[in-house]
Amino acid sequence: MIRNGHGAADGAERPGPGDRRPVRVWCDGCYDMVHYGHSNQLRQARAMGDYLIVGVHTDEEISKHKGPPVFTQEERYKMVQAIKWVDEVVPAAPYVTTLETLDKYNCDFCVHGNDITLTVDGRDTYEEVKQAGRYRECKRTQGVSTTDLVGRMLLVTKAHHSSQEMSSEYREYADSFGKCPGGRNPWTGVSQFLQTSQKIIQFASGKEPQPGETVIYVAGAFDLFHIGHVDFLEKVHRLADRPYIIAGLHFDQEVNHYKGKNYPIMNLHERTLSVLACRYVSEVVIGAPYAVTAELLSHFKEPKRRGIFCQIDSGSDLTTDLIVQRIIKNRLEYEARNQKKEAKELAFLEAMRRQEAQPSTENDGNF
């Protein structure tokens, strides 16, 4: 069990109005290649209660029910712990959510997105808690999925960058990536990500630097926000007693200029939400200049003295390049994983349709 120990109340449960018992919420999942869609699910879940506990499955469980994960379980535990709406992480959570698990962690209910998660034998993993009335649903975030991100890595294209429309080649490839023949389920495929001010407001802290806080500026691509970024930002956070960290994100074209290929994998709008979801970041500069200027520092009330540059070693060897290499190395496995996943989901949907189409036998005179 991992308690986060950060945030305003040092990870403690916040009492509700009238000192009522805090509402404890449970979420669980693979949280592989953690992206802003996962963060948004956890943000919505946290808003339903006072204390959010997130169970993360092991590599073994994910491989059994779904296919090989991209990140290791230790990487996934730490990534989820770094999301600012998470109060506690439970490693090695069971793949099937049971009432026993909810009771063990004193959770009132669990929350999942409005898609479906199935076991290796095609069962709904939330069936038991749904029947007991201890299940809540939140909206799935449109425009992002692990499947789509993997597709972008395998197809060397720049069509996902923010200034370009999705090309027909990219759409055709991404929609068919890992798709089983004979159908398409409503949760798979690519939809264009559309940034709105509301999405940014939901993710942003909205707090300006306060007297006594140390303003620290960091900059980069922060592409496929991963454990290397988290380790770096955590170390930066420790540089001051009261840090206020501003992360500058470079434009897609700037990143592509210095990294080449089809980088960044995630466009500027997507990277903005990923970084804002991190508990160590207070503010984001969207489209920060590659060169840090005096004007930029002064704009954010940095100390007027110069010689304030500090280089931090994250201690992690994970990079965006290494993630892409993991994907390419196991390309066939990931394609097979997605085909298998969609085949199960289509079969489940078809079974539900057949069940709904059957006439009810209640009150038909047969007792």
Side-chain angles (χ1 to χ4, degrees), residues 257-288:
H257 178 72
Y258 65 75
K259 290 209 67 173
K261 299 180 183 176
N262 58 332
Y263 294 115
I265 302 300
M266 298 183 83
N267 68 45
L268 177 60
H269 301 313
E270 296 169 323
R271 291 183 283 122
T272 295
L273 295 184
S274 295
V275 176
L276 279 174
C278 180
R279 68 174 64 254
Y280 305 116
V281 176
S282 302
E283 180 64 285
V284 165
V285 179
I286 303 171

Side-chain angles (χ1 to χ4, degrees), residues 118 122 342-352 354:
L118 303 174
E342 186 166 16
K344 283 194 302 181
E345 290 172 351
L346 285 169
F348 184 85
L349 283 172
E350 183 56 35
M352 286 181 61
R354 284 200 301 267

Side-chain angles (χ1 to χ4, degrees), residues 9 20 30 54 149 165 174 176-177 184 201 216 251 269 335:
R20 64 171 170 76
C30 305
V54 182
L149 294 176
E165 290 297 321
S176 64
F177 175 73
R184 173 179 176 179
I201 290 169
I216 306 171
F251 282 115
H269 301 313
E335 288 185 339

Side-chain angles (χ1 to χ4, degrees), residues 217 219 288-300 302-303 306 308:
Y217 179 74
Y290 185 71
V292 180
T293 64
E295 181 185 9
L296 177 68
L297 294 177
S298 298
H299 177 75
F300 289 103
E302 280 281 355
R306 292 305 176 241
I308 56 176

Side-chain angles (χ1 to χ4, degrees), residues 190-204:
V190 177
S191 58
Q192 185 92 29
F193 172 72
L194 299 174
Q195 183 67 285
T196 65
S197 59
Q198 184 62 27
K199 283 192 178 79
I200 295 176
I201 290 169
Q202 288 170 342
F203 274 58

Side-chain angles (χ1 to χ4, degrees), residues 317-358:
D317 61 358
L318 186 63
T319 64
T320 304
D321 285 323
L322 286 176
I323 294 173
V324 174
Q325 287 174 29
R326 290 183 188 181
I327 294 291
I328 292 173
K329 180 181 176 183
N330 298 296
R331 173 175 182 160
L332 294 178
E333 283 188 90
Y334 291 125
E335 288 185 339
R337 179 186 79 171
N338 289 330
Q339 288 179 356
K340 180 180 174 184
K341 176 177 179 288
E342 186 166 16
K344 283 194 302 181
E345 290 172 351
L346 285 169
F348 184 85
L349 283 172
E350 183 56 35
M352 286 181 61
R353 290 191 192 102
R354 284 200 301 267
Q355 187 176 11
E356 290 170 358
Q358 289 178 351

Side-chain angles (χ1 to χ4, degrees), residues 79-311:
M79 286 297 296
V80 173
Q81 187 183 8
I83 296 172
K84 63 186 179 185
W85 297 288
V86 176
D87 294 299
E88 188 177 321
V89 171
V90 174
Y95 199 83
V96 175
T97 309
T98 63
L99 294 174
E100 181 183 1
T101 298
L102 296 188
D103 292 340
K104 180 179 179 180
Y105 296 99
N106 298 315
C107 290
D108 297 88
F109 53 84
C110 72
V111 177
H112 187 66
N114 56 347
D115 54 352
I116 196 162
T117 304
L118 303 174
T119 64
V120 65
D121 55 359
R123 284 177 43 240
D124 182 353
T125 59
Y126 294 97
E127 183 178 355
E128 182 177 317
V129 291
K130 283 179 179 178
Q131 290 176 351
R134 292 172 68 181
Y135 175 86
R136 304 287 186 277
E137 209 162 74
C138 63
K139 286 187 67 175
R140 182 179 181 273
T141 306
Q142 294 297 314
V144 65
S145 69
T146 303
T147 301
D148 179 25
L149 294 176
V150 170
R152 295 182 195 181
M153 291 181 233
L154 296 176
L155 184 67
V156 184
T157 175
K158 301 176 188 177
H160 53 277
H161 292 170
S162 57
S163 67
Q164 300 180 25
E165 290 297 321
M166 190 183 294
S167 70
S168 57
E169 177 196 18
Y170 173 62
R171 181 179 289 279
E172 181 181 355
Y173 177 83
D175 274 352
S176 64
F177 175 73
K179 187 166 75 119
C180 69
R184 173 179 176 179
N185 87 50
W187 307 300
T188 304
V190 177
S191 58
Q192 185 92 29
F193 172 72
L194 299 174
Q195 183 67 285
T196 65
S197 59
Q198 184 62 27
K199 283 192 178 79
I200 295 176
I201 290 169
Q202 288 170 342
F203 274 58
S205 69
K207 297 176 182 176
E208 295 200 354
Q210 300 300 307
E213 290 185 329
T214 303
V215 179
I216 306 171
Y217 179 74
V218 298
F222 292 100
D223 193 19
L224 289 179
F225 195 74
H226 53 70
I227 201 67
H229 299 130
V230 168
D231 285 341
F232 166 70
L233 290 168
E234 184 178 15
K235 287 192 173 184
V236 172
H237 196 268
R238 292 175 185 165
L239 292 176
D241 292 332
R242 295 178 60 199
Y244 185 97
I245 298 175
I246 301 169
L249 302 187
H250 301 148
F251 282 115
D252 296 341
Q253 291 70 30
E254 191 76 63
V255 177
N256 189 250
H257 178 72
Y258 65 75
K259 290 209 67 173
K261 299 180 183 176
N262 58 332
Y263 294 115
I265 302 300
M266 298 183 83
N267 68 45
L268 177 60
H269 301 313
E270 296 169 323
R271 291 183 283 122
T272 295
L273 295 184
S274 295
V275 176
L276 279 174
C278 180
R279 68 174 64 254
Y280 305 116
V281 176
S282 302
E283 180 64 285
V284 165
V285 179
I286 303 171
Y290 185 71
V292 180
T293 64
E295 181 185 9
L296 177 68
L297 294 177
S298 298
H299 177 75
F300 289 103
K301 300 182 177 65
E302 280 281 355
K304 293 295 185 267
R305 63 188 172 87
R306 292 305 176 241
I308 56 176
F309 177 76
C310 178
Q311 190 164 353

